[in-house]
Amino acid sequence: METPYRNVVEAARSEADDIAAALGEGARTVLFGHSLGAVLAYELVHLLSARGVHVERLVVSGSPGPWTQRERRATGLPDEEFFARVEEFAGFRHEALDHPEMRELLLPVLRADCEMHENYVPSTDEPVSVPICSLRGDSDGLVSAEQAQEWQKATTGGFSSAEFPGDHMYLVDHAREVLDVIEAESARDR
């Protein structure tokens, strides 16, 4: 019931100290983020590194590179159009949206998430030094293959990428395979 964040950089800055404390010194850290989570994780890499936390790798999914403005927008649409656009983005309709009470509860959070992602501007032009792996669904209508490759410019470390069958929410059906890629990426430098 807290007021949701509406800015990615603000959210990352507000949570970075708690995350760094929870990780502790010397923890093996690989960050993963899908869609909005990808740019949030990118901001956290910068902030955690500045706090002495060694992030070994960043795995981003379903997101264009951090300097790409999101072209398709839902922010500011009336409720029904907003829900239809979110459904279009996700590629499916979650059953919770069929219940008026749940819709009312979810609407502010979904609006804040869309606003955060659609208005995201990176806090710095400096790339991270950790290797990045970019994942996407091969029929993702929100993130093209070229946009997923833009993450290569966001790192001075190594870069890799992979595609899975499916749309923007491909990971719902391919969770095990995504975890396998994250595990393989994590084992690369051991």
Side-chain angles (χ1 to χ4, degrees):
M1 299 312 296
E2 296 177 21
T3 302
Y5 289 111
R6 295 192 174 276
N7 180 286
V8 171
V9 174
E10 178 186 313
R13 286 181 179 152
S14 294
E15 301 298 327
D17 287 333
D18 289 341
I19 293 169
L23 290 172
E25 207 169 305
R28 291 198 69 229
T29 305
V30 175
L31 294 182
F32 170 82
H34 177 74
S35 198
L36 169 60
V39 293
L40 186 57
Y42 177 74
E43 290 295 331
L44 282 169
V45 169
H46 284 290
L47 294 166
L48 293 175
S49 297
R51 287 162 173 75
V53 174
H54 175 67
V55 177
E56 294 180 13
R57 196 164 296 270
L58 172 60
V59 181
V60 296
S61 169
S63 178
W67 296 289
T68 300
Q69 291 295 310
R70 281 55 183 170
E71 295 172 12
R72 298 176 63 197
R73 303 178 65 81
T75 300
L77 293 175
D79 292 353
E80 290 308 314
E81 289 178 54
F82 175 80
F83 280 122
R85 182 68 52 89
V86 169
E87 182 178 331
E88 175 190 330
F89 288 171
F92 71 96
R93 179 179 181 82
H94 195 281
E95 62 189 40
L97 298 179
D98 294 331
H99 303 283
E101 299 84 16
M102 288 301 294
R103 285 172 64 108
E104 188 176 319
L105 187 64
L106 292 173
L107 182 62
V109 175
L110 285 173
R111 283 197 180 280
D113 282 1
C114 285
E115 184 178 329
M116 283 176 72
H117 204 191
E118 291 171 359
N119 295 332
Y120 172 64
V121 176
S123 61
T124 178
D125 288 336
E126 294 298 316
V128 296
S129 61
V130 304
I132 294 177
C133 177
S134 176
L135 310 176
R136 75 177 282 273
D138 63 3
S139 59
D140 189 335
L142 289 176
V143 181
S144 69
E146 288 176 342
Q147 289 175 322
Q149 293 295 312
E150 292 171 353
W151 283 98
Q152 188 167 8
K153 298 175 197 161
T155 181
T156 59
F159 178 79
S160 60
S161 63
E163 285 191 337
F164 295 88
D167 57 20
H168 188 65
M169 297 302 290
Y170 73 92
L171 54 122
V172 172
D173 294 325
H174 297 284
R176 178 72 257 165
E177 294 95 326
V178 171
L179 289 173
D180 289 344
V181 167
I182 294 170
E183 186 176 338
E185 287 292 320
S186 300
R188 278 187 182 208
D189 299 325
R190 284 183 148 193

